[in-house]
Amino acid sequence: MSLPFPASPYLSGNFAPILMECDAHDLPVTGVLPRALHGTLYRNGPNPQFAPRDPYYHWFIGDGMVHAFHIEDGRVRYRNRWVRTNKFKRERAAGRALFGSWGNPATTDASVAGEENGVANTNIVWHAGRLLALEEADLPVELDAGNLSTRGDCTFGGKLSGAMTAHPKTDPVTGEMVFFAYAADGRFTPGIRYGVVNGEGRLTRLEHFEAPFSSMIHDFMVTSRHVLFPVLPLTGSMARATRGEPAYSWEPQLGAHIGIMPHHGDAAQIRWFRGEACYVFHVMNAWEDGSRILADVMQYDAPPLFNPNASGPGSRARLCRWTFDLDAGTDTFQRTWLDDMPGEFPRIDDRFATLPYRHGYFASRQQEEALPGSYDTLVHLDLGTGRRSVHALPQGDAISEPVFVPRTPDGPEGDGWLLATVFRGNEQRSDLVVYEAGDISRGPIAAAHLSHRVPFGFHGNWRPAQ
Ligand SMILES: [Fe+2]
């Protein structure tokens, strides 16, 4: 008999886990799903199997559960499965949690000391014929794209032995998947690994360097020629973890450090740019313009979820453009706010990743009192015209990160649909919704109805039908 989950904001409401895995053959649909929409939307998020061992629970550490919506001929088939990580399997066999938060040795059961504790809960990407569940502190986990069964850790033929970011970038021209990992030399170390997987799925490069300090680096920036590593002062410390304190802490006095490396260069060529402290979980896009590198990021004054003292507007992210001039002879960079609407989960038409782009999409939260991770408004920014479009959801509903799907493989940027899950608060269940990406203010053109909740999660991606 497993124990009840304790009272915690991130174990309540639609943050609470669902306890079942299921299949739904043909979901009821309202509206009309475009016939050209043919493929699968995968979404990933934390869904803890058992009540945590530590007295506090952090949203980021729940076991990954993948939700797949297969769309074909106007119909939707659904399946959800936990990722069978080592942690999941060991705890299922024991009937209770065995691992401490963030691998904390002080709260981990002796029977699993030193074992892999990845949760594979953050993103799910399709690259070179592999479906990978990603979480930034551990190896990718490969799933079967059809039945979601777990195939096991993906080491790229034994070449990768440590973590990979949950936010690799795929170059739409070369098909290369570029990634990094922080804490590359062990938990809370300043080592950073950089790697490239080519379009055929072979790991072709690994580089290693030291950041100025150990920090949580959730996402990074990639242009057609450079890679940018944002080292921001949300620092990690094993000493804090073993004292029973939160391992990650906000230390703004350390400032922001952005390392810029040529794609095909090596660590010795990294140039560090410096600025005032801020935090970024997510990058919308980055690209080159002559000697300049531009990056649009969702910037916080201070990180939410890690800093109990953070509150007010500074604890909410807004879209900010960072400009670095490689020829200006300076180690500073410019920041310009692009929009005053708070937001998270920025996405683009991924065919324009690493390239100049025009259309950005994100989730926004109008209600100040709502927890970070819960969003009630969908936003589209046309950065060409400066026009902002929004769709505010009905009271009590909440929307996930939007995923863009092009109408045709080579159509213009932004011509397609946005797919998201929506939690229907009054009905305690979720929908898959489809918007016309160029006209979100009219609301979804179609919705497929689940009878259960998809708990608030992180990221998803589309895999077009083969
Ligand atoms: Fe993320």
Side-chain angles (χ1 to χ4, degrees):
M1 175 178 73
S2 66
L3 298 169
F5 286 84
S8 160
Y10 284 102
L11 292 169
S12 306
N14 197 40
F15 289 99
I18 56 173
L19 303 179
M20 83 294 187
E21 300 178 305
C22 66
D23 296 276
H25 177 65
D26 192 1
L27 297 180
V29 171
T30 303
V32 178
L33 283 167
R35 291 281 155 163
L37 196 52
H38 185 193
T40 308
L41 176 73
Y42 298 98
R43 294 207 57 85
N44 198 353
N47 194 89
Q49 181 180 206
F50 293 114
R53 293 170 69 85
D54 293 67
Y56 55 88
Y57 171 77
H58 197 286
W59 188 34
F60 290 3
I61 61 173
D63 303 289
M65 177 179 273
V66 173
H67 304 260
F69 297 87
H70 180 75
I71 306 175
E72 184 172 359
D73 290 331
R75 294 169 176 240
V76 183
R77 194 168 71 227
Y78 168 86
R79 169 169 289 169
N80 72 311
R81 293 289 185 275
W82 266 294
V83 184
R84 265 57 182 177
T85 60
N86 177 64
K87 174 180 182 291
F88 179 93
K89 290 188 287 189
R90 296 285 268 140
E91 293 185 342
R92 173 152 286 190
R96 64 193 173 94
L98 297 172
F99 291 84
S101 303
W102 315 101
N104 185 349
T107 52
T108 293
D109 190 272
S111 65
V112 294
E115 288 191 26
E116 256 186 78
N117 66 342
V119 288
N121 69 3
T122 311
N123 203 349
I124 178 129
V125 302
W126 174 252
H127 180 256
R130 290 190 186 101
L131 184 67
L132 300 176
L134 301 172
E135 171 256 293
E136 64 202 32
D138 293 277
L139 279 168
V141 180
E142 185 175 352
L143 306 184
D144 182 291
N147 64 23
L148 300 184
S149 63
T150 299
R151 291 181 175 167
D153 288 345
C154 174
T155 62
F156 300 98
K159 290 181 178 171
L160 184 68
S161 58
M164 176 198 276
T165 176
H167 288 286
K169 309 290 182 226
T170 298
D171 185 310
V173 178
T174 64
E176 284 181 337
M177 181 170 74
V178 179
F179 69 91
F180 75 102
Y182 67 93
D185 303 312
R187 303 261 163 188
F188 316 122
T189 59
I192 293 186
R193 179 186 305 118
Y194 164 68
V196 177
V197 178
N198 72 11
E200 285 77 53
R202 276 188 299 116
L203 183 68
T204 54
R205 265 198 78 191
L206 278 179
E207 284 281 328
H208 178 276
F209 63 93
E210 295 262 313
F213 46 83
S214 168
S215 73
M216 179 182 283
I217 309 175
H218 183 67
D219 196 353
F220 73 144
M221 302 83 147
V222 180
T223 72
S224 53
R225 288 170 34 214
H226 290 89
V227 189
L228 287 72
F229 304 98
V231 178
L232 307 171
L234 177 54
T235 61
S237 158
M238 183 60 88
R240 282 195 295 258
T242 50
R243 285 200 300 267
E245 299 167 16
Y248 287 100
S249 184
W250 179 234
E251 298 190 78
Q253 71 280 6
L254 296 174
H257 302 249
I258 319 296
I260 301 185
M261 185 178 86
H263 251 229
H264 301 289
D266 58 43
Q269 291 171 267
I270 295 177
R271 279 179 62 183
W272 289 96
F273 287 73
R274 291 169 182 84
E276 275 184 35
C278 66
Y279 197 71
V280 171
F281 280 114
H282 295 120
V283 172
M284 188 169 256
N285 200 13
W287 68 102
E288 308 250 340
D289 177 21
S291 67
R292 298 189 310 157
I293 293 174
L294 299 97
D296 291 350
V297 303
M298 282 293 180
Q299 179 177 311
Y300 297 85
D301 291 348
L305 299 160
F306 288 93
N307 179 10
N309 301 319
S311 61
S315 65
R316 307 174 83 189
R318 289 178 293 144
L319 193 64
C320 187
R321 179 161 294 174
W322 292 359
T323 305
F324 305 84
D325 192 334
L326 300 180
D327 288 350
T330 172
D331 70 349
T332 62
F333 61 102
Q334 283 187 335
R335 303 185 216 204
T336 310
W337 294 108
L338 295 182
D339 194 77
D340 56 8
M341 195 134 173
E344 252 300 355
F345 296 135
R347 292 300 296 261
I348 59 168
D349 178 340
D350 286 324
R351 297 173 300 165
F352 293 81
T354 77
L355 300 171
Y357 78 112
R358 172 172 169 180
H359 296 286
Y361 314 94
F362 59 89
S364 182
R365 179 160 50 93
Q366 303 301 299
Q367 292 181 358
E368 277 280 1
E369 71 276 14
L371 286 174
S374 161
Y375 301 92
D376 55 20
T377 303
L378 177 64
V379 182
H380 166 212
L381 284 185
D382 180 337
L383 296 163
T385 62
R387 183 165 172 266
R388 178 172 70 197
S389 310
V390 302
H391 180 246
L393 274 71
Q395 180 91 28
D397 290 2
I399 191 164
S400 73
E401 167 203 58
V403 174
F404 180 87
V405 180
R407 198 177 313 273
T408 57
D410 46 10
E413 182 189 352
D415 183 28
W417 304 281
L418 292 174
L419 273 56
T421 56
V422 167
F423 170 58
R424 304 296 186 191
N426 295 326
E427 301 167 41
Q428 292 294 303
R429 51 163 212 88
S430 295
D431 285 342
L432 166 73
V433 297
V434 178
Y435 290 83
E436 274 288 344
D439 189 11
I440 64 165
S441 54
R442 69 191 260 216
I445 57 169
H449 309 295
L450 286 170
S451 53
H452 64 273
R453 296 181 295 110
V454 174
F456 293 137
F458 299 126
H459 302 289
N461 282 292
W462 177 253
R463 174 194 171 214
Q466 304 300 296

